[in-house]
Amino acid sequence: MKYRIITIDGPAGAGKTTISNLLANQLGCVYVDTGALYRGVAYEIKQQKIDWETDASLGKFLAGLELNFLMQKGNLVLISSGRDITPYIRTPEITMLASATSAKPQIRSALLDIQRNIAQSQDAVFEGRDMGTVVFPDAPFKFFLFADLSVRAKRRYEEMPEGKEDIQKVQQDMEKRDTNDSQRKEAPLRVASDAIKIDSSYLSIPEVVEKILKNIQKG
Ligand code: DC
């Protein structure tokens, strides 16, 4: 591996996005939110009304899929066939569909190349569920962020526009996603054997970033 790759895995709401973004800024490298790719696939499946449970129609859809990232004014933007779809991929419906569809091996293998290609040309912080276990098993720095379910649900709830959903529903959906993401056959959410585990339940964001940076400097 030519470039310095840092992987951050963990369940939803553990703080991966904010922390990976800050870390990449401090290290002067790119940040890659791989969940956005799975969300992009789910969004297109919904838009194009794809029968994703049927292998033939899923295969045809994936052959025509063109997803890539752009950095715009410091923000990561997801482009699908030339169109910015970033504003549409974070709805509760797309969130749950991304979790369900991401269990499909065909989808995972279609996204594998996109992720590995990014790592061919630059240092990067990759955030997701299977970064340290499947996509970059040889990465020199691997971290697994986690936190109590109720803490994660509260964080997600507080990020949402007011009155959109109640906190119990946010927690239920998150628990369902935890189950989907960790019990699927293909690339389930797991701690890589050589990853450093960090419980972010009672740590501030700067404290977590600091812990990660210290480990990187030690290595
Ligand atoms: O990180 P996120 O919440 O934006 O991810 C959305 C869904 O995508 C998540 O529930 C599972 C899936 N995902 C995955 O299977 N593998 C990844 N590396 C990233 C996300």
Side-chain angles (χ1 to χ4, degrees):
M1 194 175 281
K2 230 162 83 194
Y3 290 93
R4 180 161 74 166
I5 301 301
I6 294 156
T7 65
I8 316 264
D9 287 307
K16 299 189 303 291
T17 303
T18 314
I19 284 155
S20 306
N21 217 334
L22 285 169
L23 195 63
N25 272 336
Q26 297 232 16
L27 295 169
C29 67
V30 299
Y31 151 65
V32 186
D33 169 10
T34 63
L37 292 172
Y38 288 91
R39 288 171 179 273
V41 169
Y43 171 77
E44 289 296 349
I45 283 178
K46 179 171 177 258
Q47 285 298 105
Q48 300 177 35
K49 301 189 171 64
I50 303 298
D51 171 15
W52 59 274
E53 289 181 276
T54 305
D55 286 353
S57 45
L58 181 60
K60 194 162 161 232
F61 159 73
L62 289 172
L65 187 74
E66 251 181 66
L67 284 180
N68 61 289
F69 284 117
L70 266 187
M71 260 326 247
Q72 261 176 19
K73 298 186 190 135
N75 291 318
L76 197 68
V77 169
L78 183 67
I79 309 289
S80 174
S81 298
R83 175 169 168 252
D84 177 3
I85 59 165
T86 323
Y88 317 113
I89 62 172
R90 305 219 172 259
T91 63
E93 187 189 0
I94 296 300
T95 300
M96 295 313 284
L97 187 61
S99 178
T101 54
S102 66
K104 279 282 197 191
Q106 278 167 288
I107 295 181
R108 303 206 72 81
S109 83
L111 297 183
L112 199 60
D113 285 347
I114 302 181
Q115 298 169 71
R116 288 191 178 149
N117 281 341
I118 301 173
Q120 289 298 315
S121 55
Q122 61 213 313
D123 292 347
V125 177
F126 279 86
E127 172 222 321
R129 302 289 187 290
D130 60 341
M131 298 297 101
T133 50
V134 174
V135 183
F136 302 110
D138 300 329
F141 303 105
K142 298 181 184 177
F143 299 91
F144 189 92
L145 274 188
F146 64 102
D148 299 345
L149 174 65
S150 59
V151 173
R152 292 188 284 124
K154 184 161 178 276
R155 286 179 187 159
R156 204 33 61 86
Y157 175 73
E158 283 168 357
E159 282 164 14
M160 288 178 157
E162 219 169 298
K164 258 237 146 148
E165 284 212 326
D166 66 64
I167 190 158
Q168 281 86 357
K169 171 85 169 78
V170 174
Q171 182 158 330
Q172 264 170 22
D173 279 358
M174 198 170 251
E175 199 170 12
K176 179 152 194 290
R177 260 203 315 149
D178 283 353
T179 309
N180 283 349
D181 297 349
S182 55
Q183 294 190 357
R184 66 179 178 225
K185 261 209 207 117
E186 195 82 9
L189 172 65
R190 288 272 151 79
V191 188
S193 57
D194 50 350
I196 293 167
K197 284 167 73 177
I198 300 175
D199 181 351
S200 74
S201 304
Y202 305 103
L203 291 177
S204 68
I205 288 162
E207 282 170 332
V208 177
V209 174
E210 170 96 20
K211 251 180 189 277
I212 295 179
L213 281 172
K214 273 204 180 125
N215 275 290
I216 293 174
Q217 279 147 11
K218 263 200 298 194

